Amino acid sequence: MGETKRRQSPHVLFILAILILLASVLTWLVPAGSYDRVFDVASGQTVVVPGSYVSAAPTPVSPWRLPLLLFEALSTGSAPQTMCFVLLLGGSFEIILESGALAALSAWVVRRLRGRPAWLVSAFVGVFSVFGFTMGLTTASIVFLPLGIAAAKSLGYDARTGMAMVMLGTNAGFAAGVYNPFSVGVAQTIAELPLYSGAWLRWLLLAVLTAVTSAYILRKAGRPALSGAAAPLPPQPSLTLRQALVLTLFFIALVLVVWGVGTRGWRTPEIAAVFLVLGLISGGAAGFGPNQICALEIAGCKKLVGGALTIGMAAALRLVLVQGGILDSIVYGLLLLVEGLPRWTQLLGMFYTNALLDLLITSGSGHAAVAMPLMVPLADALSLSRQSAVLAFQLGDGLVNLVSPISNTLVSCLALAEISYPKWLNYFLPLVGIYLLIGTAFMLLAGAVGY
């Protein structure tokens, strides 16, 4: 019993609590400072003003204030919206899963792709990379997670593999950012470059990232339990008329979300509304009564309460850094380090600096609004191209996006997949190392060809 307890991974809430305490300590040690900020009409973002950093009076956050800041993070800002989104999504998917529709669809996939798991993994990574590099669809990709997990489990893989097929596929596309409006689009607008210029290198990057990601997922997944010519298939549930109707409603909702995000600028509230309605209608289509639908909604929400609290804790961590006046100081210090690097390493310094910043600022457009106004004059002063500065931001922002415990997308997916944060790090960190090598190679290529 004692040995089992020693082997248990620390809960993500405990990890975040330690990080919040550490952030509180840093507010007493790191000098406070801030940049001026203005609204930039062209990019639609509130951006920092280059050269405006000034030291400020210290505003350290005392440990006894942390519970108050946690409540503030849970009740104000963007975190409550995301928390409600996750809970509503959990309730709706509980209804859809209870109908058996996804299990029947997954059985059909197994029959079609039996013995060819590489096709399934590559197809998922490729399709979801399109969502990432065209629409920057990261948070919204959470809605596809149950489909990926069900498909992976039907082939004998675990839930982590199904989660990776969706999340890492989307993230590979987001990092390549060929036409990503939330990272490359905002960054190039701030840098005053033609929108989506320099796409040839990003297309090459996309090909490399999707191939490497697919190969990594397959290698980590190992041999599926259902592979091999002699392996018997498990009992295959047949698709009933009601299940077919639920699947039809599900895919209509997915198409509607993709259309809304891509053409109407939908955000979390609109997507949550679509899936709330989907869950209720799907319950009726599956033949569930009103009481059963309500009970399933509550059961789905219960499963994701931990994930919702994780989102609130992550928001509290950033709030401590902001109220302590040290977030801008950290940004300023990192850029000073880049400026002092030898000439041939400065582009790499920009890349690694943005990778570090992404651990604190996980929103692509938010990261661009902070980093790009500072990196553009820095690139000009160092005689580096602005296009390369955008690439450094883009790679730093995208390649390590799914490491930070304050990423709403990550913690929501972990909650839905019922995977602990330490287990995810154990799975993902080797790929991050590979990604950083790829990013380094592309930054050197950009410098060599005058990108």
Side-chain angles (χ1 to χ4, degrees), residues 135 137 140 143-144 248-266 270-271 273-275 277-278 281:
M135 295 176 291
L137 199 65
V143 303
F144 296 93
T248 301
L249 292 169
F250 178 64
F251 285 109
I252 288 173
L254 295 183
V255 171
L256 185 60
V257 167
V258 170
W259 171 80
V261 171
T263 65
R264 309 295 295 180
W266 282 7
E270 292 86 358
I271 298 171
V274 168
F275 279 91
V277 174
L278 170 66
I281 296 177

Side-chain angles (χ1 to χ4, degrees), residues 1 122 138 141 155 183 210 238 321 324 333 343 362 373 375:
M1 181 70 71
S122 300
T138 52
S141 69
L155 282 176
S183 61
T210 52
S238 57
L321 296 175
R343 177 78 172 82
T362 55
M375 288 179 60

Side-chain angles (χ1 to χ4, degrees), residues 178-443:
V178 186
Y179 301 113
N180 184 345
F182 299 115
S183 61
V184 172
V186 172
Q188 287 187 330
T189 300
I190 294 172
E192 299 177 344
L193 294 170
L195 193 60
Y196 302 130
S197 56
W200 69 269
L201 188 63
R202 297 195 298 276
W203 278 114
L204 178 60
L205 176 64
L206 176 68
V208 172
L209 289 179
T210 52
V212 168
T213 301
S214 299
Y216 183 84
I217 293 172
L218 283 166
R219 181 171 180 81
K220 293 290 285 187
R223 185 178 177 86
L226 305 182
S227 64
L233 279 170
Q236 303 292 315
S238 57
L239 187 67
T240 66
L241 182 61
R242 286 188 179 278
Q243 289 172 340
L245 182 55
V246 171
L247 284 177
T248 301
L249 292 169
F250 178 64
F251 285 109
I252 288 173
L254 295 183
V255 171
L256 185 60
V257 167
V258 170
W259 171 80
V261 171
T263 65
R264 309 295 295 180
W266 282 7
R267 298 287 181 163
T268 302
E270 292 86 358
I271 298 171
V274 168
F275 279 91
L276 173 61
V277 174
L278 170 66
L280 298 177
I281 296 177
S282 295
F288 301 152
N291 287 349
Q292 187 177 3
I293 291 174
C294 292
L296 288 171
E297 283 278 357
I298 293 171
C301 290
K302 282 181 179 177
K303 290 181 179 179
L304 296 182
V305 167
L309 288 175
T310 302
I311 292 170
M313 292 277 283
L317 173 59
R318 191 173 191 280
L319 189 60
V320 170
L321 296 175
V322 171
Q323 292 209 1
I326 65 171
L327 183 59
D328 283 0
S329 299
I330 294 171
V331 175
Y332 178 71
L334 289 173
L335 290 174
L336 282 181
L337 286 176
V338 174
E339 197 170 2
L341 289 174
R343 177 78 172 82
W344 68 276
T345 62
Q346 287 166 342
L347 267 180
L348 292 178
M350 285 186 172
F351 165 47
Y352 294 128
T353 293
N354 278 284
L356 289 172
L357 282 179
D358 192 61
L359 300 177
L360 301 176
I361 309 172
T362 55
S363 163
S365 56
H367 186 165
V370 171
M372 286 311 301
L374 303 174
M375 288 179 60
V376 168
L378 180 61
D380 292 344
L382 298 174
S383 299
L384 302 172
S385 76
R386 293 188 176 190
Q387 196 74 269
S388 292
V390 170
L391 181 66
F393 151 74
Q394 164 201 339
L395 290 174
D397 174 63
L399 295 181
V400 299
N401 226 354
L402 299 179
V403 171
S404 176
I406 67 173
S407 165
N408 288 342
T409 300
L410 175 60
V411 297
S412 300
C413 287
L414 291 177
L416 278 170
E418 299 180 349
I419 297 170
S420 72
Y421 177 68
K423 285 184 178 179
W424 172 250
L425 285 186
N426 181 60
Y427 178 91
F428 184 53
L429 283 181
L431 182 58
V432 172
I434 297 171
Y435 279 167
L436 291 176
L437 290 176
I438 293 172
T440 299
F442 270 82
M443 292 311 305

